Amino acid sequence: MRLPLALAALVIAAIGAVWAWLGHPVPAPASPLAAGDKLPCVSYAPFRPGQSPFMAGLMIPAWQIDEDFERLAKITKCVRTYSTEMGLSAAPGLARKHGLTMLQGIWLGGEKEKNAVEIREAVKAANENTDVITSVIVGNEVLLRGEMSAIDLAATIRDVKGQVKVPVTYADVWEFWERNRDLANAVDFVTIHILPFWEDVPVSADKAVAHIDAIRSHMGEVFAGRDILIGETGWPSAGRMREGAEPSPSNQAEVIQELLALAVQKNYRVNVIEAFDQPWKRALEGTVGGHWGFLDAYSRDFKFAWGQPVSNHPAWIVQALGGMALALAVFGAAWWTQRRNTGEPLSGGEWGAVAGIALFAGLTIGRAVAAAPVESLGFGGWLRSIVMLALGLAAPLLAAAGVAARARMVALSTFLDPAQWRTSSRIELALAGALGVSVVLATQIALGLVFDPRYKDFQFSGLTPIIAAFAFYAFAAPGGIAREDRHAEWIAAIVLAVSGVYIALNETLANWQGLWTGALLVLFGLTLWRSAAGAQTKR
């Protein structure tokens, strides 16, 4: 018993040490705001969880905007809105109540009738609230979306400009301003969006502010002598990496605070995106799209305090304890199975396989549980997460029991072919069923990341306890269950391995999430290859 107890102690210690490191607060830059200072302006959308601009007939109640503005007034002088509909007509009066000014947005699209309604309401609001609305933004990224031509957009801007008493502008990604320079003749000032995370070549958090500075300086040369507002800039706190650009709470805190310091130093006009997380954006831009706010969508609290360290895993103690409990359960499953089935002591290699299963399951199950509600969207997303978590708990226990029972390496057909049921043990049947579901799950994730990866999460934390369990079990299994047809394993192995290599290369070596996911898929492919290659070997 000394070896398994020693291995269990090492695994528990490793899980605790890794989670303590992950949860340790990351130092933040010095606060860019002096005592009493506030943010210059922030983007504001009124939608809370369960609400969306795509919900026909939705009217945001005035009390909801009132609550938001009361909270925002403590940290900012100004809010930028994007539309006049769905209850936002109440925004100017409520902004006045809380001492806020507004950049009034007009949402333009491809439907002229809707555009006319937006323009009419915004003009009315601007003319009736000149003490609150300091400028009107006629359209947001309509050129990026391809919903209007630059000529039609310029005409619309001039039409609005002739009806209001405040400055008028248009907001779009900086590249589209550079391609449509004549549009500057229609506006009073230029409003550019600089989002390092979404650049065609993503910029990592540590270089984001330098990138913003470089683009702002470049645009200052392109539009020399013109006033420029950085209308959107910021960093997400959750979601998938894009090359070396990683969303996280600490990176968001770092980028926003360094950005504000830059704005003070260079006298840049800046509007930060955005006030509150907007969960509805996850349907358009994946997990990352819903996490650009520096206030949480559900708690409505701030994600970080100016100048204070930020933990990327504030619940790390609970996650570590959960991982330790699962690791102990893995050792317990192996010990109980060995005592019940054979009574023969396991070899050092077999206990090593059990320790490997316990280690990887214990390290990642806590993150998988925390990621599930963040990365699950709609019925399909929740179904995938629930199945993945169930497998993440069951596969390590089954694999450890399989190692202890010296179960043969199962195949996909073991569970599906009734002829094999009579010659397979219960643990082998259970492992075969879990393997089949795991292959379907991993293949769905892999193909999504190959053919439509832009907004797909990597799911590495959920896949790790599953794939590692089967890999260690395959290493320790004495042989395979003999059968004629091994095509399913060969095909699945090739698909997963090739997908894993492609994902790692496509996401670049700077993306550790992509590398981890790719390595897992290659490992799973090799595990299935082992299953197919060992199928002719009888125990």
Side-chain angles (χ1 to χ4, degrees):
M1 285 294 291
R2 290 184 178 180
L3 178 60
L5 288 175
L7 289 174
L10 286 173
V11 167
I12 295 301
I15 292 171
V18 170
W19 272 110
W21 172 67
L22 290 173
H24 185 73
V26 179
S31 174
L33 303 178
D37 280 354
K38 295 182 179 182
L39 291 167
C41 201
V42 298
S43 290
Y44 172 73
F47 307 104
R48 295 190 179 184
Q51 298 174 339
S52 162
F54 306 117
M55 298 174 66
L58 174 66
M59 287 294 293
I60 304 297
W63 64 261
Q64 185 171 307
I65 301 173
D66 189 32
E67 282 186 357
D68 291 344
F69 280 6
E70 181 180 11
R71 187 172 292 270
L72 291 176
K74 298 175 183 178
I75 62 160
T76 187
K77 308 170 186 176
C78 158
V79 293
R80 174 188 172 184
T81 62
Y82 291 77
S83 174
T84 62
E85 295 185 307
M86 294 186 163
L88 277 169
S89 58
L94 294 171
R96 179 183 295 107
K97 173 183 175 182
H98 295 289
L100 295 167
T101 58
M102 284 179 57
L103 305 179
Q104 174 65 61
I106 296 177
W107 189 262
L108 297 179
E111 300 181 43
K112 293 183 179 180
E113 295 79 8
K114 288 187 176 181
N115 292 348
V117 173
E118 276 280 326
I119 291 170
R120 182 178 68 247
E121 293 301 316
V123 167
K124 178 182 176 183
N127 289 333
E128 292 178 354
N129 299 277
T130 55
D131 60 322
V132 173
I133 296 176
T134 59
S135 62
V136 175
I137 302 177
V138 186
N140 180 73
E141 297 184 352
V142 68
L143 295 179
L144 171 66
R145 298 192 304 274
E147 295 175 346
M148 292 182 72
S149 68
I151 295 174
D152 290 341
L153 176 60
T156 303
I157 295 170
R158 290 190 175 96
D159 176 53
V160 174
K161 186 174 180 180
Q163 300 181 61
V164 298
K165 306 171 185 177
V166 296
V168 170
T169 185
Y170 165 69
D172 211 326
V173 177
W174 64 272
E175 293 103 324
F176 282 83
W177 269 107
E178 192 170 34
R179 298 173 196 171
N180 298 277
R181 302 184 185 192
D182 290 343
L183 197 61
N185 297 324
V187 301
D188 294 304
F189 61 94
V190 175
T191 299
I192 60 175
H193 295 171
I194 310 175
L195 299 166
F197 181 85
W198 285 127
E199 295 286 18
D200 292 337
V201 179
V203 180
S204 59
D206 60 324
K207 300 175 182 177
V209 174
H211 174 78
I212 293 168
D213 186 24
I215 297 301
R216 172 59 180 82
S217 298
H218 169 68
M219 297 303 286
E221 296 173 357
V222 172
F223 297 104
R226 300 299 302 273
D227 188 16
I228 296 176
L229 166 68
I230 302 177
E232 283 186 2
T233 190
W235 196 265
S237 63
R240 58 107 73 206
M241 292 179 68
R242 297 187 69 234
E243 297 188 11
E246 180 181 1
S248 72
S250 62
N251 281 344
Q252 182 185 56
E254 176 186 359
V255 171
I256 289 179
Q257 292 181 90
E258 289 184 352
L259 165 67
L260 295 175
L262 174 71
V264 172
Q265 177 188 354
K266 296 289 188 74
N267 198 29
Y268 290 160
R269 292 182 62 195
V270 172
N271 172 77
V272 180
I273 185 168
E274 62 190 320
F276 297 94
D277 283 342
Q278 294 294 301
W280 63 270
K281 291 184 179 179
R282 294 165 61 198
L284 302 177
E285 301 173 354
T287 299
V288 71
H291 292 87
W292 284 77
F294 47 88
L295 289 93
D296 183 79
Y298 296 89
S299 69
R300 317 304 282 179
D301 288 333
F302 296 98
K303 296 179 183 177
F304 60 87
W306 303 118
Q308 298 300 311
V310 179
S311 173
N312 290 322
H313 302 280
W316 70 269
I317 294 177
V318 174
Q319 292 170 298
L321 291 174
M324 292 176 185
L326 178 57
L328 288 175
V330 168
F331 277 99
W335 177 82
W336 183 82
T337 303
Q338 176 256 329
R339 291 290 299 271
R340 182 173 180 272
N341 285 14
T342 66
E344 298 178 9
L346 300 183
S347 67
E350 289 169 330
W351 276 120
V354 172
I357 294 169
L359 177 63
F360 284 95
L363 284 174
T364 56
I365 194 65
R367 193 188 190 284
V369 171
V374 176
E375 298 178 351
S376 302
L377 182 66
F379 176 79
W382 275 105
L383 178 62
R384 181 196 61 212
S385 292
I386 291 170
V387 170
M388 187 155 45
L389 287 177
L391 285 169
L393 294 170
L397 299 175
L398 289 172
V403 171
R406 297 191 170 98
R408 296 166 295 175
M409 181 63 202
V410 297
L412 297 175
S413 61
T414 305
F415 184 77
L416 299 175
D417 183 5
Q420 296 188 36
W421 295 356
R422 295 186 298 273
T423 59
S424 301
S425 66
R426 290 183 178 180
I427 187 64
E428 288 171 347
L429 289 174
L431 280 164
L435 178 65
V437 177
S438 299
V439 168
V440 172
L441 177 70
T443 302
Q444 186 262 346
I445 292 171
L447 295 180
L449 289 170
V450 168
F451 293 105
D452 187 23
R454 182 173 174 87
Y455 302 125
K456 295 286 193 306
D457 294 310
F458 288 105
Q459 310 292 340
F460 61 91
S461 58
L463 288 175
T464 297
I466 302 169
I467 294 176
F470 283 112
F472 280 106
Y473 157 64
F475 166 78
I481 297 176
R483 64 194 190 284
E484 296 294 330
D485 185 6
R486 303 187 298 277
H487 294 96
E489 283 77 15
W490 292 122
I491 293 171
I494 293 171
V495 168
L496 291 172
V498 171
S499 295
V501 172
Y502 174 82
I503 290 166
L505 296 176
N506 184 56
E507 298 292 341
T508 76
L509 299 181
N511 187 335
W512 65 264
Q513 294 178 355
L515 290 175
W516 188 334
T517 305
L520 284 173
L521 295 174
V522 171
L523 178 61
F524 205 12
L526 294 175
T527 301
L528 293 171
W529 195 281
R530 162 80 168 85
S531 171
Q536 296 176 319
T537 305
K538 289 187 178 180
R539 207 180 127 189

